[in-house]
Amino acid sequence: MLRGRERQRVAVDALVDRARVGRGGVLVLRGEAGSGKTALLNAVMHSYEALLCVDVPVLDDELLQLAHDVTGTHAALLIATEAEPRGLPSITLDPLDAATSVRVLHDLVPGLPATLAADLADLACGNPLALVELAGSLTSAQLGGIAPAPEVLPENSSLRRRWRARFDVLSPAARHVVALAAVDEEIDAETLDLDAVIEAGPLFDSRRLVRSALLVDVPLPLRRRAHAELAETLPSGARRTWHQAVTTREAGLADVLIAHAEHARRCGDFATAARDHDRAASLTTDSEQRAHHLLKAAADHWAHGAPHRSRAVLRTATKLTDTPELKALLDLVAGGIDLGESLPDVAADRLVRAAKGLVGTRRTLAVAALGFAGEAASIAGDHRRYTAVVEFAQEIRRADEPAATRLTLDHLTGMLATFDGRHDVALPALRSVVDLAGQVPGPQARIWASQAAYVLGDATRSHEMATSAVTAARESGYTALVPWALVYRALSALLLDQHSAALTAATEGVHAATAIGQHNAVVDHLTILALLAALRGDADTALHRIDTATEQITQRGLMRPGTFGAWAFACVDLARDRPADALDRLRLHPGHAGIKVMAAPHVVEAAVACGQQSTADRALRRFEKWAGATGSTARLALSHRCHGLLESGTADEHFEEAIRLHRASGTALELAKTELLYGNRLRRGRKPKAAREHLRDAVRIFQSYQADHWVDRARAELRAAGDSTSEPRDHPGLTPQQAQIARLVAEGATNREVAARLFLSHRTVEHHLRNIFARLGVRSRVELTRRLD
């Protein structure tokens, strides 16, 4: 069965084209109420004359006969339905994803606050009509942030009217199973009357959109009967306790739910923990105690990767308490949400406030808040804020810190000293972070350790720690930390020159962050993907990814990914022989201090090409100080390459040492670039034979990476050095990106779907697909699919 909205119109057009030549047929367009079936039918009828379109609840025998009759004629039949296609060719209209839902909402209500848009998208569950109806129901108080977001479709919703009408004509047995589904999202259809479940159809739905409406529209006596039955029949556990509590209103059952929630937490089931903490809160009359339960529910929602539900719960909890400690804990959770999806400077301030409120009573959490505050300040590229965070951390530091807090405090100290160029202070602190990670459980310690190892130049250790962090986050249920851990898995893979692994990690990171609404992490990964493309000389892909990220970078003040983006843009400028543009891009960007040091070799390359020796010297001094202090072989190789570009008398020695170090560190792509630069220098110095040796090696390496731009550059240098034998050769292997594209195409994705999935332009996908066909010796998508099976 075909899937995906991109393919709907393609399939319809193909159906019409076949009908025009006497090979007509039928296509069933399946989707739930509000999914857009009618809109597509109307568009088709508007575009084509005499095309038969019908919208029916079920496919009866008469329609099946009509479908048979039009097959092989000049007619085409398009059927929209919620029912099964009964063997006819069909397309399913999948729900919109979260990002598309938010874009639809912003089109409907320009200027809609981002958090409100995310809440509405979460409620709508990808249903286009629900998005329209929710957007149209917003009050000025909701738009202004004074009132909470809607929790159910409006009373006059056409979807709700449709569901109510369906409910009203159901048999008593079917109405009962709908009531059961409304009050318990985990109800198992196999335990119920199968005929009643089938009759209930789409009303027997566990999604929030349908359940929230049914919880209002199913008559109260039926809901009470459903709760009572589940309280009697479910096995002992949190679900049974909840239904008993609703039925009997026993105060002590809230404590039983809390015990269940804490057990779920220990098992890493934060979704269940959030549900049970929230339910316990609804049974609690004391405001402070209720706020405490809601705080735990909010923290669980955040950990599970549902920040918008967490924020909604926090809004309620904040109004219930004036206790300083509880308010600080609420700030800690809200700051964690802000770190992922909002303004990082706001997140930093909120987290520092939380730390100050907790340092006297919940010191471990206070230190954790400072660690997050430092990360927020780093994302914002705000050195002043980062310094203030570290100064406060140093004020509260004790001589007998346990391993967990010592790790976080050492991380803050080491990173600030790195940004300041005080490597004598930074190195011991960062080494301590890496050492302590083995003593501290959980994914967060491994994320800090991966970052510390990356700064230290220990790429292997950084990658090990990042991979361990991803695994630990998933196994322990901390979905919120997965995108963050993937940032360092991608960066460490890049430092190891493992471009395929870096590409996979960053692509996975974008999708993981998008799925849980962490927009800032999405931008982090997009700019890493842009840098990966730029380093391979794929300018179009790099620029497309930068353009995709730019709006969010500007809106939120995301200086750290913004600097990655500027670095990638500068690499594109260098690849296009525009060194002055590259230099301005890196020199004039206010930038993140740490990333600007990482980009220094490209500053040197651009400055030398522009004849700005002093600018190159300044950039190299800071980079060399860092590389020398950490002893990173890969970075020392780049340092020697820079010296080779800058110096005349000892250039050969520096280039040769750079080549040796590249080989020792296994950084082949940078080795090829160094040999290209060295070959160019040797050719201009009238040493063509020596130049050709290095340039041939560069061509071979660039070919192995399928870095076509750099292959062409190196071949041009070879020809200029007198080598007339450097002709293109066919290399059947695919690059990591081409392999991804080939796999998606073989699975049936259109070019536009591939472009959206991999954050490429449509034109880039077409270009790569042509190359894939040529390298694999296939002529069509069908042949490609067979080749990859």
Side-chain angles (χ1 to χ4, degrees):
M1 179 179 292
L2 294 171
R3 298 179 69 85
R5 290 180 178 261
E6 269 294 324
R7 276 170 268 176
Q8 298 162 11
R9 197 56 186 260
V10 172
V12 171
D13 290 343
L15 175 67
V16 173
D17 289 341
R18 291 194 300 272
R20 284 171 174 160
V21 296
R23 294 189 293 111
V26 63
L27 181 65
V28 177
L29 190 65
R30 295 189 63 216
E32 65 176 356
S35 62
K37 303 185 304 297
T38 303
L40 182 56
L41 286 182
N42 291 336
V44 170
M45 288 188 289
H46 179 75
S47 302
Y48 303 109
E49 294 182 3
L51 177 54
L52 179 59
C53 299
V54 293
D55 191 341
V56 294
V58 294
L59 274 71
D60 56 22
D61 292 340
E62 185 176 343
L63 265 180
L64 289 176
Q65 183 59 48
L66 179 59
H68 179 269
D69 291 342
V70 301
T71 301
T73 70
H74 286 276
L77 174 62
L78 189 64
I79 304 172
T81 185
E82 295 179 43
E84 291 296 320
R86 297 186 65 180
L88 296 179
S90 68
I91 293 177
T92 298
L93 277 71
D94 294 331
L96 303 177
D97 60 30
T100 304
S101 297
V102 168
R103 286 197 296 271
V104 170
L105 288 166
H106 282 302
D107 288 340
L108 293 168
V109 187
L112 184 69
T115 54
L116 179 55
D119 287 340
L120 296 178
D122 183 60
L123 174 59
C125 300
N127 187 293
L129 181 55
L131 293 170
V132 172
E133 294 185 335
L134 287 167
S137 73
L138 293 173
T139 65
S140 57
Q142 288 170 331
L143 289 168
I146 300 172
E151 295 185 355
V152 66
L153 287 165
E155 176 69 23
N156 63 351
S157 158
S158 62
L159 276 174
R160 278 183 64 180
R161 286 200 303 271
R162 188 178 307 183
W163 294 333
R164 282 197 297 267
R166 287 181 177 176
F167 180 82
D168 290 341
V169 299
L170 294 176
S171 68
R175 286 159 63 96
H176 180 55
V177 300
V178 170
L180 290 170
V183 302
D184 193 312
E185 69 273 19
E186 297 179 48
I187 196 72
D188 184 357
E190 294 183 1
T191 65
L192 305 175
D193 182 337
L194 180 60
D195 291 335
V197 171
I198 293 173
E199 182 188 349
L203 295 184
F204 191 82
D205 195 322
S206 64
R207 289 176 309 150
R208 185 182 173 207
L209 176 67
V210 182
R211 285 189 69 252
S212 62
L214 293 175
L215 277 171
V216 177
D217 292 335
V218 170
L220 182 59
L222 288 181
R223 283 184 275 136
R224 284 177 173 167
R225 177 188 164 200
H227 280 298
E229 178 177 319
L230 292 169
E232 289 292 329
T233 59
L234 285 175
S236 59
R239 287 172 62 207
R240 180 173 183 173
T241 301
W242 164 243
H243 294 297
Q244 288 174 333
V246 173
T247 303
T248 66
R249 308 305 295 183
E250 288 183 34
L253 291 176
D255 293 334
V256 178
L257 280 173
I258 291 296
H260 285 304
E262 294 302 325
H263 178 265
R265 265 190 174 187
R266 289 191 295 272
C267 295
D269 186 358
F270 289 101
T272 298
R275 181 200 68 188
D276 292 340
H277 277 130
D278 211 347
R279 287 174 171 178
S282 71
L283 300 173
T284 304
T285 56
D286 180 79
S287 295
E288 287 292 320
Q289 195 62 34
R290 187 179 175 209
H292 187 71
H293 296 333
L294 289 173
L295 165 68
K296 290 187 173 183
D300 293 331
H301 279 308
W302 173 83
H304 175 57
H308 308 304
R309 294 189 185 184
S310 179
R311 197 184 290 278
V313 173
L314 287 174
R315 280 195 293 264
T316 302
T318 301
K319 298 174 184 177
L320 297 174
T321 181
D322 288 322
T323 304
E325 180 182 321
L326 197 49
K327 281 192 169 294
L329 289 169
L330 292 169
D331 271 336
L332 174 57
V333 178
I337 298 171
D338 289 339
L339 179 61
E341 68 172 26
S342 190
L343 302 175
D345 53 352
V346 171
D349 290 346
R350 191 192 295 273
L351 288 161
V352 169
R353 186 171 69 201
K356 290 180 177 178
L358 294 170
V359 70
T361 56
R362 308 285 289 273
R363 196 165 178 283
T364 300
L365 289 178
V367 173
L370 288 176
F372 287 127
E375 177 67 9
S378 179
I379 293 172
D382 192 330
H383 191 266
R384 179 190 60 79
R385 268 194 175 88
Y386 201 101
T387 302
V389 169
V390 178
E391 287 175 348
F392 180 60
Q394 291 170 343
E395 287 176 17
I396 67 170
R397 183 161 194 153
R398 297 174 179 169
D400 58 344
E401 291 288 350
T405 54
R406 189 160 82 251
L407 182 149
T408 303
L409 295 171
D410 282 347
H411 182 270
L412 288 167
T413 299
M415 292 306 297
L416 178 63
T418 297
F419 298 152
D420 289 341
R422 297 180 288 112
H423 301 295
D424 57 327
V425 175
L427 266 56
L430 295 175
R431 287 174 183 143
S432 169
V433 173
V434 176
D435 293 340
L436 288 168
Q439 305 175 33
V440 180
Q444 185 59 63
R446 289 163 174 76
I447 293 174
W448 292 142
S450 178
Q451 186 177 8
Y454 179 83
V455 173
L456 291 168
D458 189 345
T460 299
R461 187 67 170 148
S462 178
H463 196 257
E464 289 172 354
M465 282 292 176
T467 301
S468 176
V470 172
T471 302
R474 286 177 172 150
E475 289 180 347
S476 62
Y478 274 100
T479 306
L481 297 180
V482 170
W484 194 359
L486 285 168
V487 166
Y488 290 101
R489 189 154 85 178
L491 288 176
S492 57
L494 180 57
L495 187 58
L496 287 165
D497 208 47
Q498 296 176 1
H499 280 237
S500 178
L503 179 67
T504 299
T507 304
E508 183 183 349
V510 176
H511 292 296
T514 300
I516 61 176
Q518 288 189 3
H519 309 299
N520 296 345
V522 170
V523 175
D524 265 330
H525 284 288
L526 277 174
T527 53
I528 293 171
L529 285 169
L531 181 60
L532 277 165
L535 291 172
R536 292 195 314 274
D538 187 351
D540 287 343
T541 297
L543 294 178
H544 176 75
R545 289 166 173 169
I546 293 168
D547 287 343
T548 304
T550 295
E551 183 180 358
Q552 300 298 322
I553 289 171
T554 303
Q555 287 181 354
R556 293 192 176 90
L558 307 178
M559 188 65 71
R560 185 173 71 189
T563 311
F564 267 117
W567 183 7
F569 218 138
C571 291
V572 169
D573 288 330
L574 285 170
R576 291 178 169 178
D577 286 324
R578 298 195 304 230
D581 292 340
L583 185 59
D584 287 344
R585 191 95 53 193
L586 291 168
R587 185 177 55 182
L588 301 179
H589 192 279
H592 183 281
I595 311 260
K596 291 191 83 169
V597 174
M598 291 163 59
H602 291 101
V603 175
V604 172
E605 186 178 340
V608 169
C610 294
Q612 297 191 25
Q613 184 89 7
S614 60
T615 300
D617 283 336
R618 285 195 301 272
L620 178 55
R621 278 198 300 271
R622 194 164 186 194
F623 181 82
E624 188 172 35
K625 184 179 179 183
W626 177 39
T630 61
S632 165
T633 308
R635 290 171 184 154
L636 287 171
L638 294 174
S639 179
H640 279 285
R641 181 171 84 190
C642 291
H643 277 291
L645 291 170
L646 274 167
E647 300 173 15
S648 56
T650 58
D652 288 351
E653 289 86 344
H654 283 295
F655 272 118
E656 293 292 348
E657 181 63 6
I659 289 168
R660 185 188 70 80
L661 292 170
H662 281 311
R663 287 173 175 157
S665 62
T667 49
L669 188 62
E670 290 300 336
L671 166 62
K673 290 183 180 178
T674 296
E675 295 201 276
L676 174 60
L677 291 167
Y678 189 25
N680 173 271
R681 190 180 192 100
L682 289 169
R683 178 184 62 78
R684 289 186 290 107
R686 299 182 180 179
K687 298 178 181 178
K689 181 179 178 181
R692 289 195 294 268
E693 292 177 5
H694 290 290
L695 293 170
R696 289 190 189 109
D697 199 29
V699 169
R700 179 184 58 78
I701 295 171
F702 287 140
Q703 285 175 333
S704 71
Y705 279 82
Q706 298 292 329
D708 294 341
H709 171 83
W710 293 113
V711 169
D712 293 341
R713 285 279 292 270
R715 281 186 178 138
E717 280 291 334
L718 262 174
R719 288 192 295 271
D723 188 334
S724 59
T725 64
S726 177
E727 296 299 329
R729 292 180 295 169
D730 182 39
H731 289 268
L734 300 181
T735 67
Q737 190 166 89
Q738 287 170 342
Q740 287 182 315
I741 292 170
R743 176 177 51 79
L744 291 171
V745 169
E747 290 173 357
T750 66
N751 287 5
R752 292 194 181 278
E753 287 174 330
V754 173
R757 177 73 183 172
L758 300 181
F759 314 100
L760 305 169
S761 69
H762 184 257
R763 184 178 66 179
T764 298
V765 172
E766 290 177 342
H767 169 76
H768 280 308
L769 199 54
R770 286 194 296 271
N771 288 339
I772 290 167
F773 280 14
R775 285 177 175 141
L776 296 183
V778 300
R779 293 175 295 176
S780 69
R781 289 170 180 260
V782 173
E783 287 186 31
L784 176 63
T785 302
R786 290 172 181 164
R787 177 72 180 270
L788 296 180
D789 279 344

